[in-house]
């Protein structure tokens, strides 16, 4: 691993490259906060994909792409005297020190739960902090991740089940209400009840220390692998999927489960 001096030198090199590109490259000169934003979202998802695969080589690569965007936004900020990369780093350090009084101060926190509770309470007292517990949840988050963050924040201030097993009664209750609206053929109410059901399942996942977004993505990938196997197996028979009966597809599906990675 590199020394601290080598790391600082590498970061300085990145800043120099960014300055050169911004001054000399037509594409880089043209970029704004708004034009970069979609690319930033894409790069973040690519990093998440690499993290899910635990692919260290690509994690390193994708972290670089995300870091480039951070440096890019800071360079744009410096051009209209709003902030620069030093401000970004210093504000982050100040925030981390303030929110870790159990490390830098005299507050005790003996477990992760206490750390998180202190974190949320400190955020509400900051000058530019969240005015309410849930106001810090970004509105643009994907719904599944947003539901997780909402429930985590509520839990951090004590709004939670006394026993985690109690959540299953809520899941059953929401499932029953959803089934009722489906039977009534009321699409609008069924949509709302399905949302409540999903929210309760996300709550259950949190209580049992399961990340619902990660869990669903694993299932998505597993389905893709198995469905692709069925499709390729059909083609080896000289047929397309629509030419198979449901029973034939089910047989290939069961066969796919025996294959490594599926």
């Amino acid at each position: 691993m590199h020394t601290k001096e080598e790391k600082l030198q590498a970061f300085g090199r990145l800043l120099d490259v960014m300055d050169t590109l911004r001054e000399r490259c037509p594409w880089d000169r043209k970029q704004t906060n708004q034009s970069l934003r979609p690319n930033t979202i894409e790069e973040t998802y690519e990093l998440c994909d690499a993290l899910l695969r635990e692919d260290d080589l690509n994690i390193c690569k994708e972290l670089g792409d995300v870091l480039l965007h951070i440096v890019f936004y800071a360079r744009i900020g410096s051009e209209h005297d709003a902030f620069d990369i030093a401000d970004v780093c210093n504000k982050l350090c100040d925030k981390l020190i303030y929110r870790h009084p159990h490390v830098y101060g005299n507050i005790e926190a003996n477990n992760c739960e206490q750390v998180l509770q202190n974190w949320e309470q400190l955020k509400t007292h900051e000058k530019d902090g969240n005015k309410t517990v849930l106001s810090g949840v970004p509105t643009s988050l994907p719904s599944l991740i947003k539901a997780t963050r909402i429930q985590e924040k509520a839990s951090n201030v004590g709004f939670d089940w006394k026993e985690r097993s109690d959540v299953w009664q809520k899941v059953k209750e929401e499932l029953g209400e959803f089934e009722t609206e489906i039977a009534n053929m009321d699409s609008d109410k069924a949509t709302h009840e399905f949302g409540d059901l999903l929210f309760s399942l996300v709550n259950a996942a949190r209580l049992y220390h399961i990340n619902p977004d990660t869990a669903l993505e694993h299932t998505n990938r597993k389905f893709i692998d198995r469905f692709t196997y069925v499709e390729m197996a059909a083609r080896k028979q000289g047929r397309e999927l629509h030419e198979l009966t449901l029973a034939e597809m089910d047989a290939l599906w069961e066969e796919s489960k025996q294959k490594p990675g599926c």
Side-chain angles (χ1 to χ4, degrees), residues 6 19 22 32 39 58 70 85 106 108 117 123 129 134 158 164 170 172 211 213 217 224 231 253 258:
E6 289 172 329
D19 289 341
R22 187 67 172 172
T32 66
N39 292 338
N58 272 302
I70 294 170
I85 194 65
N106 55 8
E108 288 191 14
Q117 288 175 3
K123 285 171 72 173
L134 299 182
R164 67 179 183 177
K170 184 63 175 177
K172 292 174 184 177
N211 184 302
D213 185 69
E217 183 56 22
I224 289 170
E231 187 175 13
W253 181 271
Q258 308 307 314

Side-chain angles (χ1 to χ4, degrees), residues 193-218:
E193 294 301 341
F194 189 68
D196 291 347
L197 174 59
L198 284 177
F199 196 82
S200 66
L201 285 170
V202 169
N203 215 347
R206 175 185 61 82
L207 290 165
Y208 285 87
H209 308 295
I210 296 169
N211 184 302
D213 185 69
T214 301
L216 182 58
E217 183 56 22
H218 281 310

Side-chain angles (χ1 to χ4, degrees), residues 35-262:
S35 69
L36 284 173
R37 181 177 173 275
N39 292 338
T40 305
I41 295 171
E42 181 180 344
E43 296 295 356
T44 302
Y45 275 107
E46 289 178 359
L47 171 60
C48 290
D49 284 342
L51 291 168
L52 277 174
R53 296 193 305 270
E54 297 187 351
D55 182 345
D56 287 338
L57 185 63
N58 272 302
I59 289 173
C60 180
K61 171 184 173 294
E62 300 301 341
L63 280 171
D65 291 342
V66 172
L67 180 57
L68 169 63
H69 281 246
I70 294 170
V71 170
F72 212 144
Y73 289 120
R75 164 69 197 221
I76 292 171
S78 70
E79 290 169 2
H80 54 270
D81 296 323
F83 61 89
D84 63 15
I85 194 65
D87 295 312
V88 173
C89 293
N90 285 326
K91 284 182 179 295
L92 174 58
C93 290
D94 290 343
K95 179 172 69 176
L96 289 174
I97 291 169
Y98 174 74
R99 292 187 186 173
H100 288 79
H102 54 288
V103 176
Y104 295 98
N106 55 8
I107 301 297
E108 288 191 14
N110 299 317
N111 53 55
C112 292
E113 289 73 19
Q114 288 178 339
V115 171
L116 290 172
Q117 288 175 3
N118 290 340
W119 182 280
E120 293 298 337
Q121 290 170 7
L122 287 167
K123 285 171 72 173
T124 61
H125 292 114
E126 290 175 10
K127 179 181 178 182
D128 299 319
N130 302 326
K131 293 184 171 52
T132 65
V133 171
L134 299 182
S135 63
V137 179
T139 56
S140 58
L141 277 179
S143 297
L144 191 61
I145 298 174
K146 186 190 294 184
T148 304
R149 293 296 295 125
I150 288 171
Q151 294 172 11
E152 288 173 346
K153 284 181 173 292
S155 174
N156 287 339
V157 293
F159 190 75
D160 209 347
W161 302 95
K162 289 184 178 180
E163 299 293 336
R164 67 179 183 177
S165 57
D166 292 343
V167 74
W168 297 115
Q169 185 58 43
K170 184 63 175 177
V171 171
K172 292 174 184 177
E173 174 188 326
E174 298 297 353
L175 177 59
E177 292 176 359
F178 171 64
E179 290 175 332
T180 297
E181 299 307 336
I182 287 293
N184 292 337
M185 302 294 287
D186 190 322
S187 179
D188 287 340
K189 288 185 178 180
T191 297
H192 287 112
E193 294 301 341
F194 189 68
D196 291 347
L197 174 59
L198 284 177
F199 196 82
S200 66
L201 285 170
V202 169
N203 215 347
R206 175 185 61 82
L207 290 165
Y208 285 87
H209 308 295
I210 296 169
N211 184 302
D213 185 69
T214 301
L216 182 58
E217 183 56 22
H218 281 310
T219 297
N220 289 340
R221 291 173 182 270
K222 181 170 61 178
F223 185 91
I224 289 170
D225 290 341
R226 291 179 180 177
F227 194 84
T228 301
Y229 176 89
V230 172
E231 187 175 13
M232 294 299 102
R235 288 182 180 175
K236 286 181 180 178
Q237 300 174 12
R239 307 165 74 188
E240 294 296 327
L241 282 177
H242 67 272
E243 298 173 329
L244 271 62
T245 65
L246 181 57
E248 289 173 322
M249 283 192 280
D250 282 341
L252 290 175
W253 181 271
E254 291 302 318
E255 187 179 300
S256 75
K257 293 181 180 180
Q258 308 307 314
K259 301 299 177 181
C262 288

Side-chain angles (χ1 to χ4, degrees), residues 12-28:
R13 182 185 177 204
L14 173 59
L15 296 179
D16 289 340
V17 170
M18 182 72 258
D19 289 341
T20 300
L21 292 177
R22 187 67 172 172
E23 292 164 6
R24 300 182 186 178
C25 173
W27 185 88
D28 288 284

